[in-house]
């Protein structure tokens, strides 16, 4: 704000006060005596206020009210016993400043004391500055709104929340109400209405978007459309919030997404309300672009999550059957990492009929993520088909190896197969065939607590032209268990020094499970592994226990059945 003028020290009447400097000053100057009469009017003031002439009373008949009130207040403030002792002109600063409009312009008037109780008012045109300040305030508000909107829109990857946030933000800043419209899979409009008073309405309608002019085009997204103002009489009732009434001409705004349109927004203002600021168009465009990108990203993320969920359901271990005379239990604990899909798996294929075997497979695909998931699904499906035509483990693994080598992937898999038939009548013993292909051999827990590693080994599947393996045949007495496991157990790092759990600790853990049922075995081994990890990151962990049913007391088994390594 400019400093008030300093007037030269002059004395005498009006002629002396109306010096050449003041008369020719570009800013309007009006002097008033202590009786409120005009004592000086320069050329600029006469041009602005033609009714002002020396000798007239300064009132609303010749000057704007804000200037008259300021002059009276200034005079009243100087009334008192020391009125005569006015400071010499040229040394006093302005005591009062007034502000108001005049002739369509905005002025600031500064008061400066003159000799003999006169007061001069210097008027400065600040219209341009007011416009600039108003524009700056509007820009600051718009910038703050867009920053707040971006933060809120980016805070969620839930499509519905992004739509609701878009409608609420638009209703709170851009209009009296906002309606966001998206199309469902069956092309029905999903409508979210928000009002500036906080009300929210959501519904899916059977109406056609073409009932609202410009809406169908905005939802198509190509060719791109700009804002479109619509005749209020053409707005369908289903678009308006309840109780909103007939609006002023609404505006249809497309919401551009990432590669495709994310929806459309309709901005509603109440009839007879304040008109939209033309500068709001730029803010609306920026907001629509950010809102559309947020909604589109959230929808894409939701679609990916749904896809992954479907894949995960297919990759998760199946529910285990209950074969006659055998207990089956499994446990799967995915890796603690950013990958949502692991590489370990197990499957159980029940016997196809009397005299047939139940097959158990536990495997570990190299790597993590989608590529490992694809190979896992391929291995599981291929094994499910091959076992129907090939029961020999080695030939079955060789066929699987050939299948994987014929594909484009360069990953491999390790496997362990277990096949068993029904229990032997009278004794309850279960004959078991075990074959490992590059996988840790199964562990066998005997009834006396001894733990044996199955004598089987073989090559990785999907690496060499031919797969080689050795099958181990053994027998489980009632209460004895064969444990199939992935290397996520033995390679679990923990303890005081970050060591691997290792095969020795696993054997000790399994040895403590003598006489337990299959479910208890996998739970105890899993618990001991978790305690060892103590919350550290780990690879996938998969366990399957095959236990001969506890039908015959262990004491009877000891009297009637001789034990051995390969019974």
């Amino acid at each position: 704000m400019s400093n008030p003028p300093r007037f030269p020290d002059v004395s005498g009447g009006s002629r002396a006060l109306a010096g050449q400097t003041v008369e020719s000053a570009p800013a309007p100057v009006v002097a008033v005596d202590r009786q409120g009469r005009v004592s000086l009017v320069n050329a600029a003031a006469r041009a602005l206020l033609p009714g002002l002439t020396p000798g007239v009373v300064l009132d609303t008949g010749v000057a704007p009210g804000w200037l008259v009130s300021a002059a009276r207040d200034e005079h009243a403030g100087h009334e008192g016993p020391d009125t005569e002792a006015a400071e010499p002109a040229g040394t006093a600063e302005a005591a009062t400043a007034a502000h108001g409009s005049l002739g369509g312009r905005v002025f600031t008037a500064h008061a400066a004391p003159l000799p003999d109780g006169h007061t001069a008012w210097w008027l400065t045109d600040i219209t341009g500055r007011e416009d600039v300040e108003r524009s700056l305030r509007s820009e600051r508000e718009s910038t703050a709104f867009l920053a707040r909107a971006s933060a809120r829109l980016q805070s969620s990857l839930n499509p519905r929340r992004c739509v609701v946030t878009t409608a609420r933000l638009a209703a709170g800043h851009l209009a009296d109400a906002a309606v966001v419209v998206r199309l469902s899979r069956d092309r029905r409009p999903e409508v979210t209405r928000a009002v500036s008073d906080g009300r929210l309405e959501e519904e899916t309608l059977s109406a056609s978007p073409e009932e609202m002019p410009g809406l169908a085009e905005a939802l198509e997204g190509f060719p791109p459309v700009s804002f479109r103002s619509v005749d209020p009489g053409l707005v369908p009732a289903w678009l308006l919030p309840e109780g909103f009434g007939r609006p002023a001409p609404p505006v249809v705004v497309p919401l551009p997404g990432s590669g495709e349109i994310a929806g459309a927004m309709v901005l509603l203002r109440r009839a007879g309300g304040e008109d939209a600021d033309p500068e709001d168009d730029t803010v609306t465009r920026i907001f629509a672009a950010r809102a559309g990108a947020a909604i589109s990203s959230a929808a894409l993320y939701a679609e990916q999550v749904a896809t992954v969920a479907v894949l995960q359901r297919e990759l998760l271990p199946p529910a285990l059957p209950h074969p006659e005379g055998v207990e089956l239990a499994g446990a799967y604990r995915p890796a603690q990492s950013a990958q949502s899909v692991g590489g370990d798996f197990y499957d159980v294929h029940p016997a196809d009929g009397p005299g047939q075997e139940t097959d158990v497979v536990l495997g570990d695909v190299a790597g993590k993520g989608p590529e490992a998931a694809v190979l896992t699904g391929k291995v599981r499906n291929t094994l499910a088909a091959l076992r129907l035509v090939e029961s020999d483990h080695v030939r079955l693994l060789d066929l699987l190896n050939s299948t994987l080598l014929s594909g484009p992937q360069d990953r491999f898999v390790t496997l362990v197969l277990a096949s068993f038939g029904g229990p032997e009548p009278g004794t309850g013993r279960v004959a078991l065939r075990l074959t490992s292909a590059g996988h840790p051999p199964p562990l066998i827990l005997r009834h006396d607590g001894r733990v044996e590693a199955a004598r089987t080994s073989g090559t990785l599947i999907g690496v060499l032209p031919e797969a080689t393996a050795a099958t181990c045949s053994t027998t489980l007495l009632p209460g004895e268990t064969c444990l199939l496991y992935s290397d996520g157990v033995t390679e679990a790092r923990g303890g005081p020094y970050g060591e691997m759990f290792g095969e020795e600790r696993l054997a000790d853990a399994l040895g403590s499970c003598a006489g337990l049922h299959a479910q208890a075995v996998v739970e105890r081994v899993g618990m001991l592994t978790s305690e060892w990890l103590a919350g550290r990151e780990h690879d996938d962990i998969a366990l399957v226990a095959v236990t001969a049913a506890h039908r015959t007391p262990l004491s009877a088994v000891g009297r009637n059945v001789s034990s051995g390594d390969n019974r």
Side-chain angles (χ1 to χ4, degrees):
M1 188 170 292
S2 61
N3 293 325
R6 291 178 177 272
F7 289 91
D9 186 6
V10 295
S11 61
S14 300
R15 185 181 301 275
L17 292 172
Q20 185 64 33
T21 301
V22 176
E23 175 67 18
S24 61
V29 180
V30 179
V32 183
D33 64 15
R34 65 182 59 187
Q35 283 77 36
R37 294 181 180 279
V38 176
S39 57
L40 180 149
V41 184
N42 73 348
R46 290 194 297 273
L48 184 66
L49 298 167
L52 281 182
T53 57
V56 303
V57 177
L58 185 69
D59 58 20
T60 55
V62 294
W66 59 270
L67 181 58
V68 173
S69 297
R72 290 175 181 172
D73 293 343
E74 172 71 9
H75 177 72
H78 286 78
E79 287 289 342
D82 297 328
T83 302
E84 297 296 332
E87 293 185 4
T91 62
E93 297 290 342
T96 304
H99 183 85
S101 60
L102 178 59
R105 310 289 293 176
V106 180
F107 287 85
T108 294
H110 291 280
L114 295 174
D116 300 328
H118 291 253
T119 301
W121 290 90
W122 181 293
L123 279 67
T124 304
D125 189 339
I126 61 171
T127 305
R129 186 175 65 196
E130 285 283 301
D131 292 341
V132 170
E133 290 179 352
R134 183 166 52 251
S135 178
L136 286 174
R137 284 195 300 270
S138 176
E139 185 174 347
R140 290 191 191 102
E141 292 174 359
S142 298
T143 301
F145 163 70
L146 291 173
R148 184 172 68 254
S150 296
R152 290 185 58 184
L153 287 167
Q154 293 173 6
S155 65
S156 175
L157 285 173
N158 181 294
R160 176 189 169 273
R161 291 177 186 170
C162 286
V163 170
V164 170
T165 299
T166 297
R168 287 192 184 280
L169 286 170
H173 188 89
L174 302 176
D176 296 318
V179 184
V180 177
V181 182
R182 302 181 70 218
L183 294 180
S184 64
R185 292 185 180 277
D186 57 358
R187 305 293 294 175
R188 293 194 300 163
E190 298 175 343
V191 180
T192 301
R193 312 180 193 92
V195 187
S196 56
D197 60 12
R199 285 184 292 136
L200 182 73
E201 302 169 1
E202 297 177 88
E203 59 181 323
T204 300
L205 304 173
S206 298
S208 170
E210 295 181 355
E211 296 178 22
M212 173 67 180
L215 183 58
E217 293 87 342
L219 290 171
E220 288 298 328
F222 187 84
V225 296
S226 186
F227 298 177
R228 177 173 177 179
S229 182
V230 180
D231 183 347
L234 300 179
V235 178
W238 57 262
L239 191 73
L240 300 174
E242 184 177 357
F244 190 81
R246 184 58 56 187
V251 178
V252 180
V253 182
L255 298 175
S258 302
E260 60 180 14
I261 199 72
M265 177 173 63
V266 181
L267 299 179
L268 302 170
R269 291 186 178 275
R270 299 186 186 279
E274 185 178 350
D275 293 336
D277 189 336
E279 294 182 2
D280 285 347
D281 281 357
T282 301
V283 178
T284 301
R285 291 179 189 279
I286 297 174
F287 172 76
R290 296 182 183 182
I295 295 172
S296 179
S297 297
L300 179 61
Y301 177 78
E303 184 178 350
Q304 291 176 340
V305 168
T307 301
V308 170
V310 172
L311 291 174
Q312 283 182 319
R313 283 198 299 270
E314 294 298 319
L315 294 173
L316 288 177
L320 299 181
H322 302 282
E324 178 67 25
V326 178
E327 299 173 8
L328 288 175
Y332 177 75
R333 182 176 176 181
Q336 291 179 329
S337 66
Q339 298 290 350
S340 57
V341 180
D344 288 8
F345 67 93
Y346 65 79
D347 266 329
V348 177
H349 303 285
D352 298 322
Q356 301 296 313
E357 290 182 315
T358 295
D359 296 324
V360 180
V361 56
L362 186 146
D364 183 0
V365 171
K368 295 285 184 294
E371 293 182 356
V374 170
L375 184 56
T376 297
K378 183 175 183 179
V379 170
R380 293 176 66 176
N381 293 333
T382 303
L383 282 173
L386 289 177
R387 66 174 291 272
L388 298 177
V389 296
E390 182 57 71
S391 60
D392 183 80
H393 287 182
V394 176
R395 288 196 295 269
L396 187 147
L397 291 173
D398 191 48
L399 290 173
L400 175 63
N401 184 70
S402 299
T403 302
L404 295 187
L405 289 176
S406 65
Q409 71 276 343
D410 56 356
R411 294 172 179 263
F412 61 87
V413 61
T414 67
L415 292 170
V416 60
L417 300 176
S419 298
F420 58 86
E424 183 181 286
T427 65
R429 299 195 310 179
V430 175
L432 193 63
R433 292 187 297 132
L434 302 169
T435 305
S436 172
H439 200 88
L443 297 180
I444 300 171
L445 172 62
R446 298 304 181 184
H447 64 79
D448 58 2
R450 288 183 299 114
V451 176
E452 307 168 358
R455 297 176 180 177
T456 176
S457 62
T459 57
L460 302 173
I461 303 300
V463 177
L464 301 176
E466 293 185 7
T468 60
T471 299
C472 167
S473 296
T474 187
T475 300
L476 298 179
L477 299 181
E480 294 183 338
T481 297
C482 176
L483 180 67
L484 285 63
Y485 63 94
S486 66
D487 57 10
V489 178
T490 54
E491 295 180 2
R493 290 190 174 274
Y497 306 110
E499 303 171 86
M500 290 195 297
F501 192 64
E503 296 177 357
E504 185 175 345
R505 289 189 181 88
L506 175 58
D508 291 341
L510 183 59
S512 66
C513 300
L516 297 182
H517 291 271
Q519 187 63 44
V521 171
V522 296
E523 288 178 359
R524 178 165 177 76
V525 173
M527 178 191 69
L528 293 175
T529 305
S530 297
E531 290 178 352
W532 179 257
L533 285 166
R536 295 180 177 88
E537 289 191 0
H538 59 84
D539 199 355
D540 299 330
I541 294 175
L543 297 167
V544 176
V546 180
T547 302
H550 294 69
R551 291 186 173 183
T552 306
L554 292 180
S555 57
V557 172
R559 289 195 302 268
N560 300 325
V561 182
S562 60
S563 63
D565 289 344
N566 291 316
R567 288 167 286 182

